[in-house]
Amino acid sequence: MTNVSLETINSPADLRTLDRDELKEIAVQLREFVLNSVSKTGGHLSSNLGTVELTIALHSVFDTPHDRIVWDVGHQSYPHKILTGRRERMSTLRQKDGISGFPRRCESEYDAFGTAHSSTSISAVLGMAVASRNTGTHRQHIAVIGDGAMTAGMAFEALNNAGVTPGINMLVVLNDNDMSISPPVGALNRYLARLLSGQFYAKAKNVGRAVLSHVPPMLELARRFEGHAKGLVSPATLFEELGFNYVGPIDGHDLDALVPTLENLKALGGLQFLHVVTRKGQGYKLAEADPVLYHGPGKFDPSIGIQKSTKPVRVTFTQVFGRWLCDMAATDERLVGITPAMREGSGMVEFEQTFPKRYFDVGIAEQHAVTFAAGLACEGQKPVVAIYSTFLQRGYDQLIHDVALQNLDVTFALDRAGIVGADGATHAGNYDIAYLRCIPNMVVATPSDENETRLLLSTCYRHAGPASVRYPRGAGVGADVQPGLEGVEVGKAVLRREGKGIAILAFGTLLAPALEAGERLDATVVDMRFVKPLDEQLLSQLVQTHQQFVTVEEAAIMGSGGSAVLEYFSAQALALPVLMLGLPDLFVDHGDQATILAELGLDADGIERAIRARFHA
């Protein structure tokens, strides 16, 4: 075997000069590089260790970037980035001005489509395939979709549409890394995959159809026999009925199975579906044993693995929610907890363990999650939907049509509101205030610290109608969280500091820097608590004694709490100057949360500076 080095692979074209044994050696080096790289920067690890061989096989068989590959979800694309000319930039992964943790069209010609939210790949690839057909361009179109992403209705909508779209080349690769829908793989499955993807099988099938077409009963019998025969070794029926030729399952870590199978499918063209089985964390025993822990780790030493810190750490907002959920469920048997595939991320592990019959993970299916909650509420249950702000966007029609329009009692706990840091613009929770406050019947709460989060969760849970509580990623200021389940009056703000001339109205966790700026400026500072309804009574009092107003929030300025204040002033025919501080009209890229907020002028210094510039304070 020739000595080969990952350092010589600067594009997929370099892979195509290697033989099978050399590809296997590159796989060993690539997996080691992924492990060492992510251990230094943090990022997604388990999923990327699992896609090493699959990535090599795809790029060695297909003529990328002419052929299109779309990764879904995009956090499994690190090996792809490394093999497509970004190896040296992996040290900047998810850092300011560095490369993204997801595919981005603006980053590389090999990133055919940006994918960070799941289940979009098949629709996008179908669009690309139709465009190629319409322009007479011969190319291959490949969607690599994880088994979790296949739980979303959008994926099946695309498969259904593809099945009736003539004249296209399209390969869907199901990366099944949970072993949840597959039998054990081995030599028999490898042989059958190569057989079912080969020209001989395809030609024999077509000849048989041509001959038997003159005897319709025999044709139908043969079709059924073929389906049942394939069904003996693979869950083919569903995908075959949708119009795809199903192949698999095969071992996604076996290049001797992957490469020839992909070559066969490439030669066949048309609608193909390849089912590969991979293992999260493959090749790194610690990640294999606990793929959840190693899903998105921070920096760590690969030789010893992730170690629990002995330093005292502040409680996170997610932990505050998880503890509240268990406490409230213990007092109210009507409470039902719902998550769209984010049990750990949303802090629901303890709830699932304590109240398993009241816990529902519906998969990556946000639309279903919202309407499922609506159905529960119709029958007197009290659903709490724990969902990231960015993912509730995917259930917006259901939020309006199924929940708010019927004024149903559903509580939305919106994690990752505002700047999310390393995940960047695709996951930023910048828009929930704007898209929620325009919906009739909806309460929008913006707690300022950990204890306020618990208070407002209890408040919104007891509110007889749809309500949302938004809170950011990570820890807050370290406020003591009181154990009770009492709430506050809906729509009532809290005066945190009395000053002169200027009133700073803070919505959410930017209250802390607002208070610091208020001290320097001797300004009044209010914790607004609610964007909707506003505390109009307090506002009417403040306009009697203050000449300038400032709104501060970690959310898009357009349609924000500041907009709500301006709308109130306009309705009262008040011509008062209002400085609105928040997130600008642009997609905020990845980087450290605190650094980003400072650069946007949303730390104490920035708030003070903006107020002095505007009001000459």
Side-chain angles (χ1 to χ4, degrees):
M1 182 176 68
T2 306
N3 289 326
V4 294
S5 170
L6 181 64
E7 294 182 357
T8 66
I9 307 299
N10 296 309
S11 75
D14 296 325
L15 283 178
R16 297 173 201 136
T17 66
L18 305 181
D19 62 30
R20 194 77 55 75
D21 286 336
E22 290 171 327
L23 291 178
K24 293 176 183 177
E25 175 57 29
I26 291 296
V28 173
Q29 296 178 32
L30 180 56
R31 178 166 282 109
E32 183 179 0
F33 187 94
V34 169
L35 175 59
N36 290 331
S37 177
V38 175
S39 71
K40 293 181 175 66
T41 63
H44 294 97
L45 181 60
S46 296
S47 56
N48 285 289
L49 292 176
T51 58
V52 167
E53 289 84 5
L54 178 58
T55 306
I56 291 172
L58 286 167
H59 279 299
S60 66
V61 170
F62 293 98
D63 183 22
T64 54
H66 177 75
D67 291 338
R68 312 301 199 203
I69 299 179
V70 177
W71 297 89
D72 184 2
V73 177
H75 66 227
Q76 63 180 330
S77 65
Y78 295 4
H80 161 80
K81 287 176 179 277
I82 294 165
L83 295 175
T84 54
R86 287 166 279 184
R87 182 181 65 252
E88 298 302 322
R89 296 196 66 204
M90 286 298 290
S91 60
T92 71
L93 183 74
R94 293 161 40 102
Q95 299 169 40
K96 186 178 183 302
D97 300 324
I99 62 174
S100 171
F102 304 97
R104 301 179 76 181
R105 283 172 54 82
C106 63
E107 189 177 290
S108 171
E109 63 179 335
Y110 292 92
D111 291 359
F113 196 75
T115 50
H117 289 190
S118 82
S119 315
T120 60
S121 59
I122 304 176
S123 296
V125 163
L126 176 58
M128 294 172 184
V130 169
S132 295
R133 182 198 67 186
N134 291 351
T135 59
T137 304
H138 181 73
R139 61 163 51 102
Q140 303 291 331
H141 312 85
I142 305 100
V144 184
I145 183 167
D147 55 346
M150 281 295 292
T151 65
M154 184 177 180
F156 286 92
E157 291 170 16
L159 289 170
N160 183 57
N161 189 193
V164 294
T165 304
I168 61 172
N169 287 325
M170 182 172 169
L171 168 62
V172 176
V173 179
L174 172 61
N175 177 22
D176 174 9
N177 55 29
D178 199 25
M179 296 295 287
S180 57
I181 57 175
S182 308
V185 296
L188 176 61
N189 282 299
R190 179 196 298 181
Y191 167 74
L192 289 168
R194 295 178 67 174
L195 174 65
L196 296 176
S197 67
Q199 292 284 356
F200 174 79
Y201 174 81
K203 289 179 180 178
K205 183 167 63 174
N206 291 333
V207 169
R209 284 174 176 168
V211 172
L212 295 175
S213 63
H214 300 292
V215 190
M218 292 299 294
L219 176 63
E220 176 62 18
L221 178 63
R223 187 189 67 80
R224 291 184 179 181
F225 176 79
E226 177 193 12
H228 286 299
K230 292 179 75 173
L232 292 174
V233 294
S234 62
T237 306
L238 172 62
F239 301 109
E240 295 271 0
E241 291 297 328
L242 287 169
F244 286 77
N245 176 49
Y246 175 95
V247 176
I250 65 172
D251 185 348
H253 302 298
D254 184 354
L255 285 166
D256 288 328
L258 283 169
V259 171
T261 300
L262 288 171
E263 288 173 341
N264 287 336
L265 293 174
K266 178 181 178 180
L268 284 175
L271 296 180
Q272 304 293 333
F273 192 102
L274 174 62
H275 181 172
V276 302
V277 176
T278 61
R279 184 175 187 179
K280 286 185 176 181
Q282 173 74 14
Y284 182 50
K285 296 300 183 184
L286 294 174
E288 289 179 9
D290 194 344
V292 173
L293 178 64
Y294 286 86
H295 170 71
K299 300 176 183 180
F300 69 99
D301 183 345
S303 65
I304 61 175
I306 297 172
Q307 301 294 301
K308 292 183 178 180
S309 175
T310 57
K311 298 179 181 178
V313 295
R314 289 180 294 179
V315 64
T316 66
F317 286 97
T318 301
Q319 290 169 331
V320 170
F321 165 74
R323 183 67 262 160
W324 170 84
L325 189 66
C326 289
D327 291 346
M328 184 62 78
T331 68
D332 189 347
E333 63 183 14
R334 299 172 299 165
L335 188 151
V336 176
I338 302 168
T339 178
M342 295 304 295
R343 181 190 65 167
E344 289 80 15
S346 292
M348 298 183 72
V349 173
E350 183 182 354
F351 179 81
E352 180 200 18
Q353 295 169 346
T354 309
F355 304 98
K357 293 184 178 180
R358 290 194 268 162
Y359 167 80
F360 295 91
D361 181 346
V362 301
I364 303 176
E366 293 85 1
Q367 293 172 295
H368 166 60
V370 175
T371 303
F372 173 51
L376 285 163
C378 283
E379 301 303 321
Q381 300 288 284
K382 294 273 288 180
V384 176
V385 181
I387 188 169
Y388 288 9
S389 169
T390 186
F391 295 143
L392 184 56
Q393 295 164 189
R394 294 163 65 102
Y396 192 59
D397 178 62
Q398 291 70 27
L399 182 64
I400 296 174
H401 182 271
D402 299 337
V403 175
L405 184 62
Q406 303 184 90
N407 200 28
L408 292 175
D409 192 357
V410 180
T411 303
F412 295 91
L414 304 188
D415 206 326
R416 270 64 167 180
I419 300 297
V420 293
D423 282 339
T426 57
H427 284 61
N430 298 354
Y431 314 108
D432 52 78
I433 290 180
Y435 72 64
L436 289 173
R437 62 172 291 264
C438 63
I439 302 176
N441 295 328
M442 178 64 69
V443 169
V444 182
T446 57
S448 56
D449 62 31
E450 300 90 332
N451 190 57
E452 284 285 315
T453 298
R454 186 175 174 99
L455 282 171
L456 296 186
L457 282 166
S458 295
T459 302
C460 288
Y461 180 78
R462 291 196 173 96
H463 172 71
S468 63
V469 184
R470 75 184 308 259
Y471 45 89
R473 181 177 189 170
V477 294
D480 289 333
V481 181
Q482 300 303 309
L485 292 170
E486 65 276 5
V488 301
E489 185 177 349
V490 172
K492 285 299 178 183
V494 180
L495 186 65
R496 297 294 189 186
R497 186 187 189 282
E498 290 194 55
K500 302 174 183 177
I502 299 172
I504 304 175
L505 312 178
F507 296 89
T509 52
L510 293 188
L511 174 67
L515 280 169
E516 189 175 339
E519 287 290 336
R520 302 173 189 174
L521 297 164
D522 193 22
T524 292
V525 181
V526 179
D527 180 355
M528 292 300 292
R529 275 186 170 165
F530 296 90
V531 173
K532 184 178 184 181
L534 281 176
D535 190 340
E536 296 180 354
Q537 182 179 2
L538 179 58
L539 287 176
S540 66
Q541 294 172 3
L542 292 173
V543 299
Q544 305 300 319
T545 54
H546 295 75
Q547 292 74 51
Q548 295 99 18
F549 287 80
V550 181
T551 61
V552 181
E553 55 203 311
E554 192 177 331
I557 291 176
M558 291 183 175
S560 62
S563 297
V565 171
L566 281 171
E567 290 164 15
Y568 170 73
F569 285 169
S570 177
Q572 300 301 313
L574 296 170
L576 292 167
V578 179
L579 170 62
M580 297 167 57
L581 301 179
L583 302 178
D585 183 27
L586 55 84
F587 290 114
V588 180
D589 219 341
H590 49 267
D592 176 73
Q593 287 169 273
T595 301
I596 291 172
L597 288 173
E599 290 181 348
L600 294 174
L602 296 176
D603 60 351
D605 291 341
I607 293 170
E608 178 191 6
R609 186 166 57 248
I611 293 173
R612 290 192 186 279
R614 175 68 177 274
F615 298 126
H616 308 291

